[in-house]
Amino acid sequence: MDELIGDDGAPRPVAAALMQLIDSLGTETLVERQQVAELDILTMGITFTVYSDGQNIDRAWPFDIIPRVIPGDEWDRVTAGLAQRLRALNMFIDDLYNDQRVIADGVFPPDLLEASVNFRPQCRGVHPKHGVWAHISGSDLVRDDDGVMYVLEDNLRVPSGVSYVLENRAVAKRAFAELFARQQIRPVDGYTHELKKLLISLAPDGISDPQLAVLTPGIYNSAYFEHSFLAQRMGAELVEGADLVVESDDCVYMRTIAGLERVHVVYRRIDDLFLDPEVFRPDSTLGVAGLMRAWKAGNVGLANAPGAGVADDKVVYAWVPDLIRYYLGEDQLIPNVPTYRTMYPDERQFVIDNIGDLVVKPANESGGYGIVIGDRASREQLDGVLAAIEADPRNWVAQPILSLSTVPTLVPCDGHGFEVEPRHVDLRPFVLTGAGSYVTPGGLTRVALPKGSLVVNSSQGGGSKDTWVIDGVFDDGYR
Amino acid sequence: MALLARVAERLYWAARYIERAEDTSRIIRAYHDLVVDFPGTVMLRWEPLAAIAGSSIAVDPTIDASGEMTVLRFLIADRRNAGSVASCVAAARENLRTTREVIPREAWQVVNSLSHAVDSSAESAVGRQSRDRFLSRVVDDSRRLDGILDSTMTRANPYRLFRLGRLIERADMTTRVLGVRAAALLQLQAAGVEPLSDEVQWMGVLRSVSALQMYQRATKAPITGEAVVRYLLFYASFPRSVQSCLDEVRSALVALPSPQDVLAVLDETQEALDAAQPLASDGHALDDAMDLLQLAIADLDHAVHARFGVAEH
């Protein structure tokens, strides 16, 4: 199905004003606006970094001018569902590192925890503020042919993309100024303010004006643009591991030209295993020796908390409906995609028998790597993934092939010029969880640019769109 | 306001690189002016320009025309030359890309846009046709950057480190512009030609540092080499004079934490400037004096680097 156009070929009510404008502009003017938008992106320096031919290349962020639109009332339900989901997942993480009631009560199998590569025993017994571990998360949503929005996966470690939500909006506002004047499109700019408030709330007790820092792996990291963007927007310091030091008082300091200055909260964009060579990988040069000591002593707030990734796992995903029921006594507000766990013989057999109709995913990869889509893979690829499942059944899950919804997108014609064609999209809203919850209005819409493709990752040729959550009454057309 | 030592170093280098791009552009324009204004039959050669800009290049001395293109490609577009305009703009962009959290967004956008423009047009700017427009864009954008920082950046340590980079590079550049003049004098002497239209050529020197009009207002007497050199070195009220740069370095330093070691070196730089009494009509004397001054400025650079850079930690 298409997000903007109904089955009858007419624009959906929420997209009526947008489609009317696009039709009246004509392709030529639309292409001009697209080119202006691309120039804006170049001038503003909105980039992402790809690793190619042995070096890191700064590339202009790919952006398609035609937005995805979502009615406000639908988004309110999604917001409630995501807030619920992250509340439950955080209670689950906090439980795993403390009492493990969920296991004692027979809800979550203990062998899953034992086999988890993202469980950090070093974090046992820690009580982060608000009982929250995954403060910043991004959940990927897809809409199937049945019109239902499903959660495809949760990213609880260091999800990226939110900077592009804000920058896409800045570009889209210029491209479609007339629509922003006439419609109630929910602003997305508040995110960094909400993030700042959340980080401040993680400061050690008694610190009223905490020093915030964003910890980046460095200037060649693929998400460096975002790390810099967030530091800019929050007035935080952007630090690399070598800028920080933990002294014998178990406090974190940064090296300034005036000497060492205390840091109270670190928004770390480095994976757990590189965070602290004293505790995790001893050869890591990206992290800060002693950071875990400082965190456990309550002298620094860390977001996300180390170990939060234990619930960021395509196997744990399958238990989320149970976890929501267990911790909150509620039914899941946004459904999961049905997920087959190859660790169980009966579900594994189902996957083996139906592999051509399933998407098979490694449990702990991100960025779309390692995914095999049954009806598009060669026999060799399928045999390869079946062998991999046999070898390590816990590391795989399988789901039915969803047909991702589409949004009209400006794409090159075969011969020359451009045309507007439907392309598949997903959506990554970002969720902040602290004392309360905040969900971005909309999120990052990623679009698979080649015809028929379902791969939306920007590292693999995907593009992006602005996402408009529009308030108003749409059943009798636009008003 | 905290300033990480690593960020301090990058800001300082961003400023030095953008100023160097601007100044190299100015030097090329100044030398170009000398070449086209030269009224005699002796062709000025282009290789000394590369030497003055701090680089060395081998050019076949028998082919003057290709010499111009070779030297200018090296100075403007060659990315293998770290001192070329294109390399300096790219380095300034990279240093600002990695310090965006401390500089105003518009400031970054100026250098980012300039960098994209340089990427697409540096090669074509080697030829005489579009050279001046290209070099003017570099100079103008560099000054636009300063305007944005002047009007929108908090006067705190990041601003001061950026200023230090600007001023130290600029002081060095003014000595190099005078070096260009010295080189021309030496060539004329070697050719046994008496410099004609001396006044016109010194006007060109002043114009290359945007100083002609201010010089005319400050100096009632006719333009002479002696007076121009004194003006560009010692006239503290003119912002591109070496004295003015050193004064501004001092005021930036005293506002920074623990500047004593750098201030001590600055005193030595000041002594070197005070001791410079070059004869404007003697190419050797002018060249030697500028060399000494450049060494003193290099010491100042090292001192800033040692105090505020990451090497200290």
Side-chain angles (χ1 to χ4, degrees), chain B residues 24-41:
Chain B
T24 302
S25 299
R26 288 174 175 281
I27 288 175
I28 295 168
R29 288 201 307 191
Y31 200 76
H32 184 259
D33 278 352
L34 284 178
V35 169
V36 296
D37 277 350
F38 186 66
T41 52

Side-chain angles (χ1 to χ4, degrees), chain A residues 70-122:
Chain A
I70 303 173
D73 53 352
E74 179 181 23
W75 192 252
D76 290 340
R77 293 192 293 275
V78 171
T79 299
L82 289 172
Q84 174 200 54
R85 190 176 181 93
L86 268 300
R87 237 175 12 255
L89 283 171
N90 272 295
M91 292 171 81
F92 172 61
I93 301 166
D94 199 46
D95 191 13
L96 287 184
Y97 287 114
N98 288 285
D99 301 338
Q100 301 193 342
R101 281 190 304 125
V102 70
I103 292 172
D105 289 345
V107 176
F108 190 74
D111 56 320
L112 277 187
L113 185 61
E114 277 157 33
S116 169
V117 295
N118 292 315
F119 183 74
R120 308 272 172 257
Q122 300 91 334

Side-chain angles (χ1 to χ4, degrees), chain A residues 270-287:
Chain A
I270 294 180
D271 284 335
D272 284 355
L273 293 179
F274 297 92
L275 207 49
D276 181 351
E278 277 184 10
V279 177
F280 301 115
R281 283 181 60 156
D283 58 339
S284 169
T285 53
L286 299 175

Side-chain angles (χ1 to χ4, degrees), chain A residues 323-397:
Chain A
L323 297 176
I324 290 173
R325 212 169 294 117
Y326 176 70
Y327 288 109
L328 302 175
E330 297 171 7
D331 285 333
Q332 193 177 29
L333 295 175
I334 318 179
N336 264 22
V337 180
T339 303
Y340 306 97
R341 299 154 291 188
T342 56
M343 61 181 295
Y344 294 121
D346 52 337
E347 296 184 28
R348 178 161 72 243
Q349 196 55 50
F350 180 87
V351 172
I352 292 168
D353 294 342
N354 295 280
I355 189 132
D357 301 320
L358 296 170
V359 182
V360 185
K361 301 174 173 184
N364 287 302
E365 285 290 337
S366 64
Y369 292 101
I371 290 180
V372 176
I373 300 172
D375 63 350
R376 292 164 190 236
S378 66
R379 192 63 241 172
E380 291 77 39
Q381 281 175 299
L382 291 180
D383 288 342
V385 76
L386 285 172
I389 289 170
E390 282 303 332
D392 187 7
R394 199 206 167 273
N395 196 36
W396 297 88
V397 295

